[in-house]
Amino acid sequence: MSDLRITEAFLYMDYLCFRALCCKGPPPARPEYDLVCIGLTGSGKTSLLSKLCSENPENVVSTTGFSIKAVPFQNAILNVKELGGADSIRKYWSRYYQGSQGVIFVLDSASSEDDLETARNELHSALQHPQLCTLPFLILANHQDKPAARSVQEIKKYFELEPLARGKRWILQPCSLDDMDALKDSFSQLINLLEEKDHEAVRM
């Protein structure tokens, strides 16, 4: 083989390498989902979302009205509308449900009996609301690191989730700020449910 042809062969290989490394184009866009996040004041909604966004927990202030965070994951971006959980605000929750594709409900698993009863009533109301009843639910039993925390099985029984949510897409997971791997895994499961719902809509 002549020197010219050898040079041409090397140049062509360099060109192929360049194309492989530099000309792949932008990565495919991650799907985005609009979610609503609800729960009583003190359940830890703001802290959990801030931690997922890698924000400094010392700067966290409880949400009094509503706030929106874009929570990035490897395979999706969740645009989460967090609603304040005070008595005076909960009656307005339903005004912010429109357009939601999924629901995050955060409860304090170490709360008083009265607050747990209130949380149960609010979750039951959300599960049966016309704008939410067909959506995937991620229910987070937060503050599992506290001594008084109730187990997931206790929460499931007390909240009567098996009979109430039968036929619905829902996940009940324990969580705390000390276990971010478990929290991220819970959201990964929610993203799977959102993707499944997307695929079903396409088939229809």
Side-chain angles (χ1 to χ4, degrees), residues 32-38 49 67-69 71 73 77-83 96-97 99-104 132 135-136 138 187 190-191 194:
E32 296 191 24
Y33 297 100
D34 295 328
L35 309 180
V36 63
C37 179
I38 54 180
L49 293 175
S67 67
I68 299 177
K69 288 185 183 295
V71 186
F73 289 89
I77 296 174
L78 304 182
N79 298 312
V80 183
K81 185 191 305 173
E82 181 200 345
L83 308 183
Y96 298 91
Y97 290 165
S100 299
Q101 295 169 278
V103 183
I104 304 162
L132 304 182
L135 303 182
L138 171 58
F187 275 83
L190 175 61
I191 291 170
L194 292 166

Side-chain angles (χ1 to χ4, degrees), residues 69-203:
K69 288 185 183 295
V71 186
F73 289 89
Q74 186 173 2
N75 56 339
I77 296 174
L78 304 182
N79 298 312
V80 183
K81 185 191 305 173
E82 181 200 345
L83 308 183
D87 293 349
S88 59
I89 297 174
R90 292 200 301 272
K91 58 186 176 183
Y92 300 114
W93 277 357
S94 59
R95 296 185 181 184
Y96 298 91
Y97 290 165
Q98 188 171 1
S100 299
Q101 295 169 278
V103 183
I104 304 162
F105 189 95
V106 184
L107 63 96
D108 179 1
S109 58
S111 66
S112 67
E113 292 292 336
D114 287 345
D115 283 348
L116 202 65
E117 174 72 17
T118 302
R120 181 174 71 169
N121 292 339
E122 294 293 354
L123 178 57
H124 285 198
S125 177
L127 282 165
Q128 297 174 53
H129 193 280
Q131 290 179 302
L132 304 182
C133 62
T134 62
L135 303 182
F137 270 71
L138 171 58
I139 305 164
L140 294 173
N142 196 18
H143 298 152
Q144 286 292 309
D145 53 326
K146 294 185 178 180
R150 298 161 181 85
S151 69
V152 166
Q153 290 304 319
E154 290 174 309
I155 295 290
K156 183 186 292 186
K157 182 177 180 180
Y158 182 79
F159 278 63
E160 301 175 309
L161 285 174
E162 292 289 359
L164 181 69
R166 184 175 293 117
K168 301 180 185 293
R169 296 177 175 87
W170 60 277
I171 305 161
L172 172 62
Q173 290 286 94
C175 72
S176 71
L177 287 176
D178 294 337
D179 192 349
M180 288 306 297
D181 288 339
L183 182 63
K184 290 177 180 179
D185 180 67
S186 299
F187 275 83
S188 293
Q189 293 182 52
L190 175 61
I191 291 170
N192 288 339
L193 291 183
L194 292 166
E195 290 174 343
E196 288 174 9
K197 188 170 176 61
D198 263 359
H199 293 156
E200 287 179 5
V202 169
R203 287 196 294 268

